[in-house]
Amino acid sequence: MGVEQKLGDMGIVTTTLEQVVNWSRTRAMWPMLFGLACCAIEMMAAQASNYDMSRFGMELMRASPRQSDLMIVAGRVSKKMGPVVRRLYDQMPEPQWAIAMGDCASCGGVFNNYAIFQGVDEVIPVDVYVAGCPPRPEALIHGVLTLYEKVGGEKLKDAVNR
Amino acid sequence: MTELQEVSFDDIKHLVSERAISGENMLLNMGPQHPSTHGVLRLLLELDGETVVNCIPDIGYLHTGIEKNMEAKTYQKAEVMSDRLDYMNTTGNNLAYVMAVEKLVDLDVPERAQAIRVIIVELQRIASHLIFLAATGLDLAAQSIFLYCFREREMILDILELCSGQRMMTTYLRPGGLWRDVPPEFDGAVRDFLKIFPKRVDEYEALLTKNPIFVDRMAGIGILTREDALTYGVTGPILRASGVDWDLRKARPYSGYEQYDFDVPVLTKGDSYARYLVRIEEFRQSVRIIQQAMDKLPGGPVRSENRKFVPPPRSEIGVSMEALIHHFKLWTEGFPAPKASIYSAVESPRGELGVFLEGDGGPKPYRIHWRTPSFENLGVLPVLAKGHFVADLVAIIGSIDIVLGDIDR
């Protein structure tokens, strides 16, 4: 009932810088084109015709970590691949997010053995875990939207201190 | 966390030529994170300008220890691991595994189950080739084919989901038959697909087969001679594109393939384009097989009545003490398999997928080894890549259609 309403009548929208920044980040979040195993196929399916992730500003998957904001770890992470995943994550510019897609990336899944990391969170920090073996494309999209919610609540102050 | 393996130049000196050591040729690392390596393949390339002089694959980035994990489970429970080997051909892996188990314990499979297995596996073959087409098209910058292929793949996944409740990792084929009979909607769904799909294959062909850009990128690239193909032990569409008429479905029929009338496409050129054409023709032949299997789908049970190996249906458990005992014994202890070793193979979309299974008299496999086609098919990549541009290497990797889960296991 203050200045917002009056300005709104004049065609001006008032908001906070934080909200604008977070809004813009969620509207063009570029995931990294990077698949490990089975889940990568469902990630491709989520990008393709029937599910079409470009509805959420994600049609552009970047092959280079330097151009991407979001790492979708799609598949099991082996002991040989773990350090590579870490290096890729480190190469991504801030702000960066990670989704652990599928059971293997979340907790090791059915592979409780010598070769597989029991969750990619042993290697990189993870924001959202998506369950399923492999998760349906809808589940991945839900994971992405959950991440958007999280990003929407981020404080600029925290980003500086990160 | 384990450290990144640092490889010094001295460690790889024996792999490269003198010119690379003197610095005239460039050594370039392609992968493990590269959009065109179809997973986590790493290639060490020795380049003279833009030309590939030498190509050394480095595998193991997806080593999962599946074989070891399977040995720790009973024969029935180990099957879920087989889905996750070659994740484009999940039901095909199931078939290879259950056939091996059935051979080991000498278990008969009802005819209806065999026919449904053929339908499911051929649908999976189409789905796998669709991914090949989508991914290879994408690598060669043909974006639209990717969207078309995934549209049809969703139809197949819907059918699999209808039967098993899962889109990809179905574990629908079980030792002794199937998990359960197909639902009533199955018939309509498959027939719809059969009606639509041949037209869609024509659409793909209209997009690619005579497309000058696509032909330029594929024809004459990565020629594999008949001799090399046989020497390196490649199988599947790659072998057939090099002029060898070898398809396990014809040569060693299994699961009732001998009843169906289909052709095995064989081309002689051996280049990437021929491999593409073979797979396109396999689409049509798979449709033919599914059509025939649907038309003469026999009735009857879908799992063996041998209660020593196959659990009874759940409906019996409430009324029959015997059924309850069998169910309990089979799911807690599993069934013992004789002390023997057997090899059983099927024709997967990538080639001969074999299972070597050794029983030790107990309920768990003593040793299980997978002969996966992608491993042998990757071995031929250095031969194919030699003398081509880096950009052509992308087309070659696409055309040999490797799956890293299949290679690294």
Side-chain angles (χ1 to χ4, degrees):
Chain A
M1 300 306 124
V3 70
E4 296 96 337
Q5 181 135 31
K6 281 190 180 160
L7 288 175
D9 292 343
M10 292 157 65
I12 298 171
V13 180
T14 54
T15 178
T16 62
L17 179 62
E18 220 158 53
Q19 275 175 343
V20 173
V21 168
N22 288 342
W23 174 85
S24 56
R25 279 177 179 166
T26 54
R27 260 58 187 178
M29 193 177 274
W30 290 357
M32 188 152 76
L33 180 51
F34 163 60
L36 290 172
C38 335
C39 291
I41 310 298
E42 287 296 66
M43 187 168 74
M44 280 160 76
Q47 291 280 352
S49 347
N50 287 33
Y51 298 98
D52 194 14
M53 279 228 287
S54 60
R55 291 176 294 163
F56 307 99
M58 301 185 98
E59 67 268 45
L60 211 53
M61 292 192 104
R62 304 308 301 187
S64 164
R66 311 248 180 226
Q67 299 168 344
S68 38
D69 312 302
L70 168 67
M71 177 186 247
I72 302 178
V73 184
R76 46 202 190 236
V77 185
S78 70
K79 292 271 149 89
K80 190 171 176 179
M81 194 63 197
V84 181
V85 172
R86 178 75 220 188
R87 179 164 284 188
L88 287 170
Y89 185 78
D90 288 342
Q91 283 176 341
M92 284 162 60
E94 290 269 354
Q96 72 218 102
W97 295 279
I99 291 181
M101 181 184 180
D103 288 349
C104 298
S106 300
C107 65
V110 288
F111 304 111
N112 185 4
N113 64 21
Y114 64 93
I116 294 294
F117 277 110
Q118 299 300 301
V120 73
D121 45 11
E122 290 181 20
V123 184
I124 59 168
V126 175
D127 294 285
V128 173
Y129 298 87
V130 181
C133 188
R136 297 177 62 87
E138 290 101 323
L140 178 63
I141 290 171
H142 179 251
V144 167
L145 294 181
T146 312
L147 180 71
Y148 284 180
E149 265 173 44
K150 186 182 173 182
V151 173
E154 275 185 3
K155 300 267 177 267
L156 287 179
K157 200 172 69 195
D158 299 342
V160 174
N161 294 338
R162 186 148 52 175
Chain B
M1 200 180 89
T2 47
E3 288 302 306
L4 202 64
Q5 284 178 330
E6 294 293 346
V7 179
S8 70
F9 187 57
D10 290 330
D11 295 335
I12 54 169
K13 255 185 179 165
H14 65 284
L15 296 171
V16 296
S17 74
E18 287 295 321
R19 280 170 63 87
I21 294 168
S22 66
E24 279 172 277
N25 282 357
M26 182 190 180
L27 287 176
L28 183 74
N29 210 12
M30 185 170 170
Q33 184 264 332
H34 188 281
S36 304
T37 53
H38 292 218
V40 285
L41 174 66
R42 178 179 164 202
L43 298 171
L44 181 66
L45 302 178
E46 185 185 333
L47 303 176
D48 181 8
E50 184 76 359
T51 314
V52 178
V53 179
N54 201 354
C55 156
I56 305 149
D58 178 12
I59 59 171
Y61 284 96
L62 198 61
H63 176 63
T64 317
I66 285 183
E67 290 174 0
K68 197 73 200 161
N69 244 18
M70 287 179 95
E71 287 160 17
K73 293 176 187 296
T74 60
Y75 285 102
Q76 288 146 315
K77 291 176 184 173
E79 198 196 332
V80 292
M81 296 281 166
S82 70
D83 285 293
R84 287 151 180 88
L85 275 159
D86 175 356
Y87 38 83
M88 314 277 213
N89 177 37
T90 56
T91 53
N93 296 343
N94 288 164
L95 182 64
Y97 177 74
V98 298
M99 273 173 48
V101 174
E102 283 153 8
K103 201 169 162 187
L104 186 67
V105 301
D106 196 16
L107 188 59
D108 287 330
V109 184
E111 271 187 19
R112 182 176 170 80
Q114 292 201 357
I116 294 175
R117 279 179 180 185
V118 168
I119 296 169
I120 297 280
V121 169
E122 289 302 319
L123 284 172
Q124 187 81 63
R125 185 185 313 278
I126 293 175
S128 172
H129 284 351
L130 280 173
I131 300 249
F132 150 77
L133 204 54
T136 307
L138 209 55
D139 289 346
L140 302 181
Q143 177 98 44
S144 41
I145 190 77
F146 168 78
L147 299 170
Y148 286 133
C149 287
F150 267 79
R151 181 183 60 186
E152 273 72 72
R153 183 170 176 271
E154 288 297 326
M155 294 180 78
I156 296 176
L157 293 194
D158 286 347
I159 295 172
L160 294 181
E161 194 178 7
L162 201 66
C163 300
S164 69
Q166 241 279 30
R167 280 159 57 88
M168 280 174 74
M169 308 300 170
T170 56
T171 322
Y172 182 56
L173 281 49
R174 299 285 171 91
L178 304 171
W179 170 52
R180 62 171 189 190
D181 204 348
V182 290
E185 300 85 6
F186 177 78
D187 189 75
V190 175
R191 285 192 195 280
D192 277 353
F193 176 76
L194 292 176
K195 209 185 296 167
I196 293 169
F197 190 66
K199 284 181 222 143
R200 298 283 163 86
V201 178
D202 296 341
E203 261 179 46
Y204 309 149
E205 286 227 86
L207 271 172
L208 293 179
T209 303
K210 288 192 180 143
N211 180 336
I213 301 171
F214 186 75
V215 176
D216 275 355
R217 294 293 303 271
M218 298 288 269
I221 302 296
I223 296 175
L224 178 66
T225 59
R226 189 190 151 92
E227 288 70 37
D228 275 350
L230 292 170
T231 314
Y232 279 82
V234 303
T235 43
I238 309 179
L239 184 65
R240 295 194 280 276
S242 294
V244 183
D245 185 3
W246 179 256
D247 186 322
L248 283 176
R249 292 175 294 174
K250 281 272 189 219
R252 309 255 161 80
Y254 52 88
S255 198
Y257 267 110
E258 64 278 1
Q259 314 162 30
Y260 307 117
D261 179 29
F262 66 101
D263 300 323
V264 177
V266 179
L267 294 176
T268 48
K269 280 224 172 113
D271 56 355
S272 299
Y273 190 61
R275 295 191 274 274
Y276 155 79
L277 290 177
V278 165
R279 292 198 179 91
I280 289 282
E281 188 52 34
E282 285 195 6
F283 278 142
R284 301 210 169 88
Q285 299 304 327
S286 290
V287 167
R288 269 177 77 189
I289 296 172
I290 300 169
Q291 188 82 54
Q292 293 168 47
M294 287 301 286
D295 288 343
K296 51 182 182 186
L297 189 63
V302 292
R303 57 208 314 202
S304 160
E305 295 292 323
N306 190 338
R307 291 281 167 259
K308 292 290 165 241
F309 302 109
V310 182
R314 280 201 75 86
S315 54
E316 274 181 30
I317 295 173
V319 290
S320 158
M321 189 65 205
E322 281 286 299
L324 186 65
I325 292 169
H326 282 309
H327 193 273
F328 182 76
K329 288 284 266 186
L330 280 172
W331 285 112
T332 51
E333 284 173 19
F335 52 79
K339 205 169 174 173
S341 47
I342 57 103
Y343 176 80
S344 145
V346 301
E347 182 76 21
S348 97
R350 267 157 280 284
E352 177 177 340
L353 175 69
V355 182
F356 171 79
L357 196 58
E358 180 155 352
D360 62 352
K364 292 174 185 172
Y366 177 73
R367 175 80 174 100
I368 178 159
H369 175 73
W370 290 81
R371 187 267 183 220
T372 49
S374 296
F375 185 78
E376 269 77 2
N377 294 356
L378 176 69
V380 87
L381 179 65
V383 181
L384 298 184
K386 214 157 273 179
H388 287 295
F389 292 142
V390 179
D392 291 335
L393 182 63
V394 169
I396 295 170
I397 297 174
S399 76
I400 61 172
D401 192 23
I402 45 169
V403 172
L404 268 292
D406 206 22
I407 294 170
D408 292 340
R409 309 194 271 279

